[in-house]
Short mmCIF file of all heavy atoms in Angstrom, two decimals:
data_model
loop_
_atom_site.label_atom_id
_atom_site.label_comp_id
_atom_site.label_asym_id
_atom_site.label_seq_id
_atom_site.Cartn_x
_atom_site.Cartn_y
_atom_site.Cartn_z
N GLU O 152 1.76 13.72 6.95
CA GLU O 152 3.21 13.69 7.19
C GLU O 152 3.95 12.62 6.38
O GLU O 152 5.04 12.91 5.86
CB GLU O 152 3.51 13.53 8.69
CG GLU O 152 3.28 14.78 9.50
CD GLU O 152 1.85 14.94 9.98
OE1 GLU O 152 0.97 14.15 9.53
OE2 GLU O 152 1.59 15.85 10.79
N PRO O 153 3.42 11.39 6.23
CA PRO O 153 4.15 10.42 5.41
C PRO O 153 4.31 10.85 3.97
O PRO O 153 5.37 10.65 3.36
CB PRO O 153 3.30 9.15 5.53
CG PRO O 153 2.60 9.30 6.85
CD PRO O 153 2.29 10.75 6.95
N VAL O 154 3.28 11.45 3.40
CA VAL O 154 3.37 11.92 2.01
C VAL O 154 4.34 13.10 1.92
O VAL O 154 5.17 13.16 1.00
CB VAL O 154 1.97 12.31 1.48
CG1 VAL O 154 2.07 12.93 0.10
CG2 VAL O 154 1.06 11.08 1.45
N LEU O 155 4.27 14.02 2.87
CA LEU O 155 5.18 15.17 2.87
C LEU O 155 6.63 14.71 3.04
O LEU O 155 7.54 15.24 2.38
CB LEU O 155 4.79 16.15 3.98
CG LEU O 155 3.45 16.86 3.77
CD1 LEU O 155 3.04 17.61 5.04
CD2 LEU O 155 3.52 17.80 2.58
N ALA O 156 6.86 13.73 3.92
CA ALA O 156 8.23 13.21 4.11
C ALA O 156 8.72 12.51 2.85
O ALA O 156 9.89 12.64 2.46
CB ALA O 156 8.26 12.26 5.30
N MET O 157 7.83 11.77 2.20
CA MET O 157 8.19 11.11 0.94
C MET O 157 8.62 12.14 -0.10
O MET O 157 9.63 11.94 -0.80
CB MET O 157 6.98 10.33 0.43
CG MET O 157 7.15 9.63 -0.89
SD MET O 157 5.55 9.25 -1.68
CE MET O 157 5.08 10.90 -2.27
N ILE O 158 7.90 13.24 -0.20
CA ILE O 158 8.23 14.29 -1.16
C ILE O 158 9.59 14.90 -0.82
O ILE O 158 10.45 15.06 -1.70
CB ILE O 158 7.13 15.37 -1.17
CG1 ILE O 158 5.82 14.79 -1.70
CG2 ILE O 158 7.57 16.58 -2.01
CD1 ILE O 158 4.61 15.68 -1.50
N GLU O 159 9.79 15.23 0.44
CA GLU O 159 11.05 15.84 0.86
C GLU O 159 12.23 14.91 0.60
O GLU O 159 13.27 15.32 0.06
CB GLU O 159 10.99 16.20 2.35
CG GLU O 159 12.26 16.85 2.87
CD GLU O 159 12.23 17.11 4.37
OE1 GLU O 159 11.24 16.72 5.03
OE2 GLU O 159 13.20 17.69 4.87
N ARG O 160 12.07 13.63 0.94
CA ARG O 160 13.16 12.67 0.79
C ARG O 160 13.42 12.33 -0.68
O ARG O 160 14.48 11.77 -1.00
CB ARG O 160 12.85 11.40 1.59
CG ARG O 160 12.82 11.65 3.09
CD ARG O 160 12.44 10.42 3.89
NE ARG O 160 12.28 10.75 5.30
CZ ARG O 160 12.26 9.87 6.28
NH1 ARG O 160 12.38 8.57 6.01
NH2 ARG O 160 12.12 10.25 7.53
N SER O 161 12.45 12.66 -1.55
CA SER O 161 12.64 12.43 -2.98
C SER O 161 13.18 13.67 -3.69
O SER O 161 13.32 13.66 -4.92
CB SER O 161 11.30 12.02 -3.62
OG SER O 161 10.82 10.81 -3.05
N GLY O 162 13.46 14.72 -2.95
CA GLY O 162 14.07 15.90 -3.51
C GLY O 162 13.14 17.06 -3.80
O GLY O 162 13.57 18.12 -4.26
N GLY O 163 11.83 16.86 -3.54
CA GLY O 163 10.88 17.95 -3.71
C GLY O 163 10.45 18.15 -5.15
O GLY O 163 11.07 17.64 -6.08
N GLY O 164 9.38 18.91 -5.32
CA GLY O 164 8.84 19.18 -6.65
C GLY O 164 7.38 18.77 -6.73
O GLY O 164 6.83 18.16 -5.81
N ARG O 165 6.75 19.13 -7.84
CA ARG O 165 5.32 18.84 -8.00
C ARG O 165 5.09 17.33 -7.97
O ARG O 165 5.78 16.57 -8.67
CB ARG O 165 4.80 19.43 -9.31
CG ARG O 165 3.27 19.36 -9.40
CD ARG O 165 2.72 19.97 -10.67
NE ARG O 165 1.25 19.94 -10.63
CZ ARG O 165 0.48 19.78 -11.69
NH1 ARG O 165 1.01 19.66 -12.90
NH2 ARG O 165 -0.84 19.75 -11.57
N THR O 166 4.14 16.92 -7.15
CA THR O 166 3.92 15.51 -6.85
C THR O 166 2.47 15.12 -7.07
O THR O 166 1.56 15.90 -6.81
CB THR O 166 4.31 15.23 -5.38
OG1 THR O 166 5.68 15.57 -5.17
CG2 THR O 166 4.09 13.78 -5.00
N ALA O 167 2.26 13.88 -7.52
CA ALA O 167 0.95 13.24 -7.51
C ALA O 167 1.06 11.99 -6.65
O ALA O 167 2.14 11.38 -6.56
CB ALA O 167 0.50 12.88 -8.92
N PHE O 168 -0.06 11.59 -6.01
CA PHE O 168 -0.02 10.40 -5.15
C PHE O 168 -1.10 9.42 -5.58
O PHE O 168 -2.26 9.79 -5.75
CB PHE O 168 -0.21 10.78 -3.69
CG PHE O 168 0.08 9.63 -2.75
CD1 PHE O 168 1.39 9.20 -2.57
CD2 PHE O 168 -0.93 8.97 -2.09
CE1 PHE O 168 1.67 8.12 -1.73
CE2 PHE O 168 -0.65 7.89 -1.25
CZ PHE O 168 0.65 7.48 -1.07
N VAL O 169 -0.68 8.16 -5.74
CA VAL O 169 -1.56 7.09 -6.22
C VAL O 169 -1.85 6.12 -5.08
O VAL O 169 -0.92 5.66 -4.40
CB VAL O 169 -0.88 6.33 -7.39
CG1 VAL O 169 -1.84 5.29 -7.97
CG2 VAL O 169 -0.40 7.30 -8.47
N GLY O 170 -3.12 5.80 -4.87
CA GLY O 170 -3.47 4.88 -3.80
C GLY O 170 -4.78 4.17 -4.08
O GLY O 170 -5.41 4.36 -5.13
N ASP O 171 -5.20 3.34 -3.10
CA ASP O 171 -6.42 2.55 -3.29
C ASP O 171 -7.41 2.70 -2.15
O ASP O 171 -8.39 1.97 -2.09
CB ASP O 171 -6.07 1.07 -3.47
CG ASP O 171 -5.58 0.43 -2.17
OD1 ASP O 171 -4.80 1.09 -1.44
OD2 ASP O 171 -5.97 -0.71 -1.87
N SER O 172 -7.16 3.64 -1.23
CA SER O 172 -8.04 3.77 -0.07
C SER O 172 -8.34 5.22 0.23
O SER O 172 -7.66 6.14 -0.23
CB SER O 172 -7.41 3.13 1.17
OG SER O 172 -6.43 3.99 1.73
N VAL O 173 -9.37 5.41 1.04
CA VAL O 173 -9.73 6.77 1.46
C VAL O 173 -8.60 7.38 2.28
O VAL O 173 -8.43 8.61 2.28
CB VAL O 173 -11.07 6.75 2.23
CG1 VAL O 173 -10.92 6.04 3.57
CG2 VAL O 173 -11.63 8.16 2.40
N TYR O 174 -7.80 6.56 2.95
CA TYR O 174 -6.67 7.08 3.74
C TYR O 174 -5.62 7.70 2.81
O TYR O 174 -5.01 8.71 3.16
CB TYR O 174 -6.05 5.96 4.57
CG TYR O 174 -7.06 5.17 5.35
CD1 TYR O 174 -7.29 3.82 5.07
CD2 TYR O 174 -7.81 5.77 6.35
CE1 TYR O 174 -8.24 3.11 5.76
CE2 TYR O 174 -8.77 5.05 7.05
CZ TYR O 174 -8.97 3.72 6.75
OH TYR O 174 -9.92 3.01 7.44
N ASP O 175 -5.42 7.08 1.65
CA ASP O 175 -4.48 7.64 0.66
C ASP O 175 -4.99 8.97 0.12
O ASP O 175 -4.23 9.93 -0.02
CB ASP O 175 -4.28 6.65 -0.49
CG ASP O 175 -3.67 5.34 -0.04
OD1 ASP O 175 -2.74 5.37 0.78
OD2 ASP O 175 -4.13 4.29 -0.51
N VAL O 176 -6.27 9.01 -0.19
CA VAL O 176 -6.86 10.23 -0.72
C VAL O 176 -6.80 11.35 0.32
O VAL O 176 -6.43 12.49 0.00
CB VAL O 176 -8.31 9.97 -1.16
CG1 VAL O 176 -9.01 11.28 -1.55
CG2 VAL O 176 -8.36 8.97 -2.30
N MET O 177 -7.13 11.04 1.57
CA MET O 177 -7.11 12.04 2.64
C MET O 177 -5.69 12.56 2.89
O MET O 177 -5.48 13.76 3.08
CB MET O 177 -7.69 11.45 3.92
CG MET O 177 -9.18 11.17 3.84
SD MET O 177 -9.77 10.18 5.25
CE MET O 177 -9.49 11.33 6.60
N ALA O 178 -4.72 11.64 2.86
CA ALA O 178 -3.33 12.05 3.09
C ALA O 178 -2.84 12.95 1.97
O ALA O 178 -2.18 13.96 2.21
CB ALA O 178 -2.45 10.81 3.22
N ALA O 179 -3.18 12.59 0.73
CA ALA O 179 -2.77 13.40 -0.41
C ALA O 179 -3.40 14.79 -0.33
O ALA O 179 -2.71 15.81 -0.53
CB ALA O 179 -3.16 12.72 -1.72
#
Side-chain angles (χ1 to χ4, degrees):
E152 286 86 351
V154 174
L155 292 170
M157 178 201 75
I158 294 168
E159 180 184 4
R160 294 177 186 197
S161 299
R165 190 179 184 213
T166 301
F168 191 71
V169 185
D171 71 319
S172 78
V173 68
Y174 311 114
D175 297 318
V176 173
M177 291 169 65

